[in-house]
Amino acid sequence: MRKIMRSVAVAAAVTLVAAGCADSGGGSGSGSGPIVVGSVNALSGAATFPEASAAAKAVFDAANASGGVNGRQIQYKALDDKGDPAAAATAAREVVGADNAVALVGSSSLIECEINNKYYEQQKILSISGIGVDPACFNSPNISPANVGPYHDMTLTLLYGSEVLKLDNICALLEIAGNTLPSYQAAIDEWTKITGKKLTYMDATVPYGGSDYTSYIVKARSAGCKSITVNPVEPDSIGQLKAAAAQGWNDVTWLLLTSVYSENYAKAVSNAGAGVYVPAEFYPFTDSASSQNKEWRELMTKNNIPLTSFSQGGYLAAKYFLQVIKGISGEINRESVTKALQEMQPISDPMVGTPYVFGKGKTHHDNTAGWPIKLTTGSNKWELAADDWLRIPKS
């Protein structure tokens, strides 16, 4: 992953040069032809997120089966960035420049926002990402993710730990790829601003894909940490929990992010210390009886799409998009879609704790709510840890 992210800066520079040579077509949309919608996703490579675009496609397929939008079909093109900066740039130019998409919907990638955000500005096209990951997803006027994102997620998990669980001596072990450290630091600073509290200890040198996390765990324990916040991928977190258990550190509380929220992770964790707590970015999908997720769950099951946070994000991105363009009078093209998204009214959905709106802002990081869930030692399953959304207070 580090190798991928180190390539981002170079590829971004190439992207800017290429953008200057690209045309700025108005997008598909006149007459009775299909409405082309695209997305750029990590469908292959080291880390993949196929569920988001698959979920968006399922939403569009269902809409097409019911007559489409004003009698026109949605033609959805989900392209693969392969976790490669050059491929991400090429994919965006294919769907935006060659295919004349009216918008991007449901994208999910580690790198594509960083690579393509300036190109989207130049082409005057907007993107409703299914899952925003890198900082550029939340700092661009042309990208507005459906999800909370890892940075607000970090603030939320710290707030739950200090204000609800009443934990003290909270520490951070951060896995930093590319230019993400300032964003994670800003998330921690936001927690400090709200609570007046500070971390006991922070180590931002923790590697992705480490073979042995023992030394990092030993140092955190020696620093007096009672709880730890981490931004890991699932295998790394499992390794960190195992390292703590091997040291006999069974009373540490883990304040993690939605990145570890899966049923496979729960099955793999036998010793969760004093508990793993996560603010789920969407209403918890493991609550199988929930009315909040009923329509999503039925559509995903019908289309054999995994029930994950990624598919929730792609599903919602497509739903938001459809609701907005159905209100467009006249031609549906890139210009009218952009105008409609920038002028849209907020859309509320029971699957999220914050209404969605694209708007005209220079940045888009407005989803600020998570639903607390927990994984306790020996349970091998996620449980609700609250009966309402946890929200970051407005400053």
Side-chain angles (χ1 to χ4, degrees):
M1 183 177 295
R2 283 186 170 182
K3 182 177 179 181
I4 291 172
M5 296 306 293
R6 279 198 299 268
S7 303
V8 168
V10 175
V14 175
T15 296
L16 289 174
V17 174
C21 302
D23 70 86
S24 54
S28 65
S30 59
S32 58
I35 301 168
V36 179
V37 179
S39 65
V40 179
N41 314 271
L43 302 179
S44 64
T48 62
F49 311 99
E51 301 101 311
S53 56
K57 182 179 185 300
V59 173
F60 293 138
D61 286 348
N64 288 339
S66 298
V69 178
N70 297 334
R72 297 176 59 195
Q73 298 283 288
I74 299 286
Q75 184 178 356
Y76 187 58
K77 298 194 171 185
L79 302 186
D80 185 9
D81 70 16
K82 305 174 184 178
D84 176 71
T90 299
R93 277 148 188 75
E94 178 178 336
V95 75
V96 176
D99 294 328
N100 285 323
V102 301
L104 294 109
V105 178
S107 297
S108 181
S109 164
L110 288 175
I111 61 172
E112 89 92 9
C113 294
E114 181 69 24
I115 296 300
N116 294 322
N117 71 93
K118 295 300 182 184
Y119 176 68
Y120 296 156
E121 289 184 47
Q122 189 266 337
Q123 293 295 305
K124 299 179 181 178
I125 190 169
L126 302 186
S127 172
I128 306 176
S129 300
I131 300 293
V133 181
D134 72 66
C137 296
F138 306 95
N139 294 319
S140 167
N142 287 59
I143 305 173
S144 178
N147 66 316
V148 173
Y151 314 111
H152 280 339
D153 218 21
M154 175 68 70
T155 303
L156 285 166
T157 201
L158 286 168
L159 283 173
Y160 188 81
S162 66
E163 307 309 297
V164 179
L165 298 179
K166 304 300 181 183
L167 299 170
D168 55 13
N169 293 333
I170 300 176
C171 302
L173 300 179
L174 300 181
E175 300 186 352
I176 299 302
N179 63 340
T180 58
L181 180 55
S183 295
Y184 281 116
Q185 185 62 62
I188 294 167
D189 292 344
E190 180 71 7
W191 167 70
T192 295
K193 178 182 176 183
I194 295 168
T195 65
K197 301 172 183 177
K198 295 184 178 181
L199 295 174
T200 297
Y201 168 82
M202 185 173 84
D203 184 347
T205 68
V206 182
Y208 279 104
S211 59
D212 186 357
Y213 290 100
T214 300
S215 63
Y216 301 95
I217 295 300
V218 169
K219 282 187 268 186
R221 190 178 189 184
S222 298
C225 304
K226 300 297 183 184
S227 56
I228 299 178
T229 186
V230 197
N231 61 324
V233 291
E234 289 182 28
D236 292 1
S237 178
I238 292 169
Q240 290 155 16
L241 266 64
K242 287 182 177 178
Q247 294 298 311
W249 197 11
N250 297 316
D251 61 350
V252 60
T253 301
W254 300 89
L255 304 173
L256 305 185
L257 309 186
T258 309
S259 54
V260 302
Y261 177 35
S262 77
E263 292 183 328
N264 286 336
Y265 176 86
K267 291 175 182 177
V269 171
S270 57
N271 188 337
V276 171
Y277 292 84
V278 169
E281 297 189 57
F282 308 106
Y283 186 83
F285 62 84
T286 47
D287 182 12
S288 58
S290 65
S291 60
Q292 292 93 327
N293 287 331
K294 184 176 183 296
E295 291 182 9
W296 162 78
R297 183 179 291 275
E298 289 176 349
L299 184 63
M300 297 303 100
T301 301
K302 178 181 178 181
N303 288 276
N304 296 313
I305 298 171
L307 303 178
T308 67
S309 294
F310 298 115
S311 61
Q312 286 179 305
Y315 169 84
L316 285 167
K319 276 191 66 178
Y320 297 148
F321 176 76
L322 281 177
Q323 185 166 332
V324 171
I325 68 168
K326 285 179 179 178
I328 294 175
S329 299
E331 284 194 17
I332 298 176
N333 54 30
R334 188 178 302 171
E335 182 179 3
S336 64
V337 168
T338 296
K339 183 175 186 293
L341 286 170
Q342 290 178 334
E343 296 179 354
M344 68 177 285
Q345 293 299 308
I347 298 174
S348 296
D349 191 283
M351 289 176 64
V352 290
T354 307
Y356 179 83
V357 61
F358 203 113
K360 297 181 179 180
K362 293 183 179 180
T363 62
H364 302 284
H365 204 177
D366 299 328
N367 193 340
T368 58
W371 195 290
I373 53 177
K374 64 181 179 180
L375 174 64
T376 55
T377 293
S379 69
N380 294 118
K381 65 178 182 179
W382 294 99
E383 302 172 16
L384 300 183
D387 56 10
D388 199 358
W389 296 95
L390 174 68
R391 296 177 174 85
I392 298 175
K394 293 183 179 180
S395 55

